[in-house]
Structures are given as C-alpha cells and as structure tokens.
Amino acid sequence: MAAVAVNGAKLGTASQAYLESRAVSDTKVLISDLCRQFYNLGWVSGTGGSITIKVHDDSVPKPQQLVVMSPSGVQKERMLPEDMYVLSPNGSILCTPSPKPYPHKPPKCSDCGPLFMKAYEMRNAGAVIHSHGIESCLVTMINPLAKEFRITHMEMIKGIQGHGYYDELVVPIIENTAYEYELTESLAKAIEAYPKTTAVLVRNHGIYIWGDSWISAKTQAECYHYLFDAAIKLNQLGLDPSTPIHGPIQNVKGVLGSGIHRNISVKAGTAASDNKSGPSQRCIVLDIEGTTTPISFVTDVLFPYARNNVGRHLSATYDTAETQDDIKLLCSQVQDDLEKGVFGSVPIPLDDVGKEEVIAALVANVESMIKADRKITALKQLQGHIWRTGYEKNELEGVVFEDVPEALKKWHDSGIKVYIYSSGSRLAQRLIFGNSNYGDLREYLSGFFDTTVGNKRESSSYAEIVQSVGVDKPSQVLFVTDVFQEAVAAKEAGLEVIVSIRPGNGPLPENHGFRTINSFAEI
C-alpha cells in the first residue's frame, strides 16, 4: 500500500503500519457488530444513524489516533468490516470502501462526519454514536420550545459520565436542519455552552452521544435512551421527571408546570402562593453560591485556587495528621470511583512507592473531581484546608453581595437565627464569612451545615436541619437558594422557600411556583 497523505504530510512507516494494523481491522469488525446491535434496538433503522470509533493504540496520543466510521445510506445491520471508512485525525479520508453491485449505492462517507469530528476535537472523545432512536426524537417534541431536556433522581443517571443519582441531568436541544452537516455549528455551540454534557439532542431527529471509549459511549447511549423513555412515560402519566419525587405536574393558572409540559413562559416570582410579607420564621437557612455570594467567586476564584495549589499543599503538609486524614478520605473515594468506572479516576499507589507518586495521583483525581464539580466530602474537606491557607496568606478574600451584611445584622438583631447550608465544607463556609469583603460576618450566624447532613437535593437533609435548629415545625424555617432542585427538596420537607435571583445564576424552569427575590432587602 502506498503512503497516504495526512494533514498535508505523508504517513511514515510506523503510521502506515498503524493504518494496516490489527487495531484498525478489529475496530472495523467492532463497528459492524455494534451497528447490528443498534439496528435491533431501533437506533439506526432505515440506514439512518451512525457510529465512529478512534483506533486505540497505546503508542499514539488520542488526538492523533485514526478514526473508523460507518458509511452513510447503507443497511447498518448488513454492514461488513470492509464497508468502513478510515479517516485521519483531522477528518480527511484515508481509506474508502469498494463499491458493491446493484442494488447497493456507491459508498458515501457519513454526513455526520463534521459533527463527529467536533466531539473528538472539543471533548477528546474516543467514540461518538449518532442514534435515531424514537425516544430521543419524541422527547424533543413534547415541548417544541424547550431548549433542554431535564431529569433527576433516576438510577440510570449514574450511567452518565460525571453524574450521580441526586444530580439533575441536563441535555441541550438544538434545532434540526435539512442536511446533517448544517448542524455542525449549533452542535459546537451546545458543546461549549454545556461543559458537563456528553450528548446533544436534535429536535425531531435524534441524538449525538460521545465517551472516552466505545464502551463509555455505548453505555451512556443505553442510559440516555432509557431516561428518555422513562421521561416520556412519566409525562404520559402526568408526572414530572424533573423533580426529585416525580410528583404530579403542577398546573399554574391553567398552564402545566415544572415538568416537560413547559410551553408558556410565566414571569419569575409568580408563585401560586406569593408570600410577600415579612418573615414569620424563627430561623433562616441560606445557601452560599448564587445566594449570598456570586457564582463567579466560586468558579473563577476558589476552584482555580484549589486546583492550582493541590500539589503544593499536599507536599508542604503531607506528614501532618490533618492531611493524612484528607488523603485517607480521598483514597476511599477514589477506590469507590474506580469500582464504579467514574471518568477521570486513576489508581492511587501505596505509600511505599514514594510521596511524589502518591501526590501526583491525588492531584490527577482532585483535578478531575473539581472539573466535574462533584459534591463529595473528600473533595470539599481538602478544598477547605487549601483555601484556609489562601486566606491566611491574604491570597483570598471572601465575597458576598452588598445587601448581605445589612440583612444578616437586621435578622440577628431581631432574634432570627441564621444558618448556612452549602455543599462546601463548614470550614470553607466559615472562611468566606470570616474573611469577607465586608469584614467578619460570623457574629451574625448561628451555625453551618454541609453535606454531612445529606445531599442538598434530598428532602431528608432539610428534615435533619429542622431537627438541629430546634423549631417546633418545619414551616418556621425559611430556606433561600438559587437551585430549583434544592428548593423542591426543602419544600417537600415542609420548609418555607424563596429562590434567589442573582447576576450570573442559571435559569429557572418555567412555572417553577416559588417566590423569587433579587436582594435580601426583599425578605
């Protein structure tokens, strides 16, 4: 076989061997097998849909690996390995399948090609699946105005990279076009706008799903289709898949509410029972991020500081009892992550291999946890200790909105106890309020709660807080948050709830049914 041009240069002997390697042949066989399976699942019927996989070779970095892609316009369940295209890392065709006799059409590279390459380029994917499964099509049609699919508290969410049972799964929806390649720009924008997503839905069409390997992509595709089917069936039963208890879809002024039936925009704050009087509560519990403090302070200041100082902190404090406790907790979490196949987890070696190797593995795991914004105690505890050093060195200063200090003082002086409940550790919470841009505000706070009382999206966590603050009934506690799922969980526990609208906060579901405020002065 002659040398083949890739990226303007000819493949050398090693690359030519790679092109003719067993790995490429095995990948072709794998794709033909998967397409038969996907056909039986209804994902690639009528010649629609496609799959592409990078050819794994330990000696070749993933961005430089060859790509094998199923062809367009062919019967997917009858494809053979020799029917596959082989592409260079930048998408140029290296190998084209031979034509077949009538009634077969001439071979054609999939129109999905540019979209697949975007997932490879922007997410360093190892495989991408394009499915026409009916669930992925119907779920985009229930509300023709929705720009996202949302679901929470379903076991199969755990099969989606970076998600757990309590998390809300959000999948962006883009509009279909006459030709598939025309979707490339909108898909790229969706990938950029939703850094946590591993899929993009195309209305009235299907879905693109990627993973770091073909196993990851296939597993997630199965979970996505299951969740779409579950959401459709819940909706048919009048139940809301986007709330933790999946209760009846609420009807606000004749409009179906917080579930998929979101088709009329209701101005934020028009709750079914809009309580605008002063607080009758004995206690107020405040979220931090997006409520007392700008989200940007956490994402642009605290998280980068922790990420950039993990190695330095662990090296400087490695032998202390506190850091050894942090490491023990991290090791336990990483072991659990490895057993569950959590993306980004790497094994942590034993101490006898040397401190540097242990720290390097810890840093890799922590960086992955921070990138995924995981709400786990092991991460939050270590972050708190790193931030403490930053505050002590005057490298960090806590930030709260300008209305917060006056409100805290007012509530404190009137005898209302104020508590903080955040996914950040209690230490991290005390550091923000003890070193804020308005001075030490801790004198106005009665206590701090973190995820040791439970997940913030579970009603049992708020029931636990109610027991701790010593009120007669849950309605004597007011909870203020910017997160819809937290508001729902607190309301289920019987607390009064207000949703905080601050600059930089994410959008709320339409018809959410909660009172909203832009400043604590409104409480």
Side-chain angles (χ1 to χ4, degrees):
M1 183 181 291
V4 184
V6 178
N7 293 333
K10 287 191 174 182
L11 289 167
T13 304
S15 294
Q16 187 64 36
Y18 178 30
L19 184 61
E20 299 173 347
S21 68
R22 175 69 178 272
V24 172
S25 299
D26 288 348
T27 304
K28 291 180 178 180
V29 172
L30 174 61
I31 289 182
S32 62
D33 289 344
L34 289 174
C35 281
R36 278 191 290 274
Q37 181 180 356
F38 294 167
Y39 174 83
N40 292 327
L41 291 171
W43 296 359
V44 293
S45 57
T47 79
S50 188
I51 179 174
T52 171
I53 300 175
K54 284 203 168 186
V55 180
H56 180 73
D57 186 316
D58 288 329
S59 65
V60 181
K62 187 182 287 187
Q64 299 173 24
Q65 291 173 356
L66 298 178
V67 176
V68 177
M69 186 180 299
S70 62
S72 177
V74 301
Q75 305 294 319
K76 296 294 191 296
E77 79 282 11
R78 298 180 63 84
M79 283 195 309
L80 300 173
E82 55 264 30
D83 296 328
M84 305 301 162
Y85 281 83
V86 180
L87 280 66
S88 73
N90 72 345
S92 59
I93 297 174
L94 302 180
C95 291
T96 302
S98 300
K100 291 185 175 183
Y102 179 86
H104 295 282
K105 296 180 179 180
K108 177 185 175 185
C109 195
S110 174
D111 286 342
C112 305
L115 290 91
F116 290 146
M117 299 313 294
K118 279 296 179 185
Y120 286 133
E121 171 193 339
M122 298 179 70
R123 290 299 171 84
N124 196 28
V128 189
I129 296 170
H130 175 42
S131 165
H132 284 189
I134 188 64
E135 305 94 340
S136 63
C137 184
L138 290 178
V139 82
T140 69
M141 300 168 68
I142 295 174
N143 176 5
L145 299 179
K147 300 300 182 184
E148 300 171 337
F149 165 79
R150 293 172 178 264
I151 192 169
T152 188
H153 283 62
M154 294 287 287
E155 180 67 14
M156 293 295 272
I157 292 176
K158 292 162 61 175
I160 307 301
Q161 177 184 309
H163 289 76
Y165 171 76
Y166 300 114
D167 292 328
E168 181 184 39
L169 176 66
V170 180
V171 184
I173 302 173
I174 62 176
E175 300 303 320
N176 196 28
T177 57
Y179 299 99
E180 209 135 11
Y181 67 86
E182 294 176 341
L183 293 166
T184 305
E185 183 178 355
S186 55
L187 179 127
K189 288 180 178 178
I191 292 175
E192 184 177 8
Y194 292 80
K196 197 175 181 180
T197 193
T198 55
V200 173
L201 283 159
V202 183
R203 198 181 314 279
N204 305 350
H205 183 150
I207 188 171
Y208 287 85
I209 303 163
W210 55 88
D212 64 324
S213 67
W214 71 268
I215 293 177
S216 172
K218 175 179 176 290
T219 300
Q220 292 184 91
E222 292 168 351
C223 293
Y224 277 118
H225 283 82
Y226 174 97
L227 292 166
F228 298 152
D229 186 45
I232 292 167
K233 290 175 178 175
L234 284 168
N235 188 267
Q236 291 171 335
L237 293 170
L239 303 178
D240 188 349
S242 68
T243 61
I245 61 170
H246 302 147
I249 296 173
Q250 298 299 311
N251 190 298
V252 179
K253 297 183 179 179
V255 181
L256 289 171
S258 59
I260 290 181
H261 284 296
R262 298 170 190 155
N263 49 20
I264 296 181
S265 177
V266 175
K267 185 179 179 181
T270 54
S273 58
D274 194 353
N275 172 25
K276 294 186 179 180
S277 60
S280 60
Q281 286 70 36
R282 292 173 53 187
C283 297
I284 297 178
V285 178
L286 302 173
D287 172 52
I288 293 181
E289 187 178 355
T291 301
T292 68
T293 299
I295 290 177
S296 58
F297 172 68
V298 179
T299 58
D300 300 343
V301 178
L302 288 184
F303 282 178
Y305 186 90
R307 182 175 60 249
N308 296 336
N309 288 278
V310 174
R312 184 177 71 171
H313 173 81
L314 291 175
S315 296
T317 64
Y318 189 82
D319 294 322
T320 65
E322 181 179 81
T323 295
Q324 283 298 310
D325 182 59
D326 289 346
I327 292 174
K328 181 179 179 181
L329 199 59
L330 280 168
C331 289
S332 177
Q333 180 66 56
V334 170
Q335 183 59 40
D336 185 58
D337 290 347
L338 289 169
E339 292 173 0
K340 294 178 179 178
V342 175
F343 177 75
S345 304
V346 298
I348 298 175
L350 299 175
D351 281 339
D352 54 14
V353 304
K355 182 173 77 172
E356 290 75 16
E357 286 78 4
V358 173
I359 291 175
L362 289 167
V363 169
N365 281 286
V366 169
E367 288 179 344
S368 177
M369 292 174 181
I370 292 175
K371 185 177 181 180
D373 191 20
R374 298 183 64 189
K375 314 294 187 183
I376 48 178
T377 303
L379 173 63
K380 299 303 179 181
Q381 179 172 302
L382 175 63
Q383 284 177 320
H385 294 149
I386 295 173
W387 291 329
R388 181 182 59 198
T389 301
Y391 285 110
E392 289 173 350
K393 293 183 175 181
N394 293 319
E395 294 175 350
L396 290 174
E397 179 183 62
V399 176
V400 298
F401 293 110
E402 62 180 359
D403 56 277
V404 171
E406 182 178 349
L408 293 180
K409 184 178 185 304
K410 180 183 71 174
W411 296 331
H412 178 268
D413 291 347
S414 63
I416 297 174
K417 292 184 177 180
V418 182
Y419 297 85
I420 302 298
Y421 180 30
S422 172
S423 57
S425 67
R426 287 180 293 176
L427 170 61
Q429 298 171 32
R430 290 194 295 268
L431 289 169
I432 289 176
F433 290 97
N435 302 273
S436 85
N437 49 332
Y438 289 92
D440 190 344
L441 302 175
R442 290 174 297 178
E443 62 178 302
Y444 305 125
L445 301 173
S446 298
F448 302 87
F449 296 99
D450 60 14
T451 52
T452 56
V453 303
N455 188 286
K456 293 188 72 183
R457 301 187 179 193
E458 283 292 291
S459 59
S460 58
S461 305
Y462 299 90
E464 181 69 23
I465 290 175
V466 168
Q467 293 294 321
S468 300
V469 299
V471 294
D472 295 325
K473 50 187 178 180
S475 60
Q476 292 177 312
V477 180
L478 170 65
F479 178 56
V480 187
T481 180
D482 67 307
V483 179
F484 172 69
Q485 292 77 17
E486 295 175 6
V488 171
K491 184 177 180 180
E492 289 170 1
L495 283 71
E496 293 295 320
V497 180
I498 291 177
V499 175
S500 171
I501 306 295
R502 300 284 196 176
N505 286 9
L508 289 170
E510 296 174 3
N511 315 323
H512 53 77
F514 289 101
R515 178 190 168 192
T516 63
I517 59 168
N518 296 286
S519 167
F520 284 175
E522 300 174 46
I523 301 178

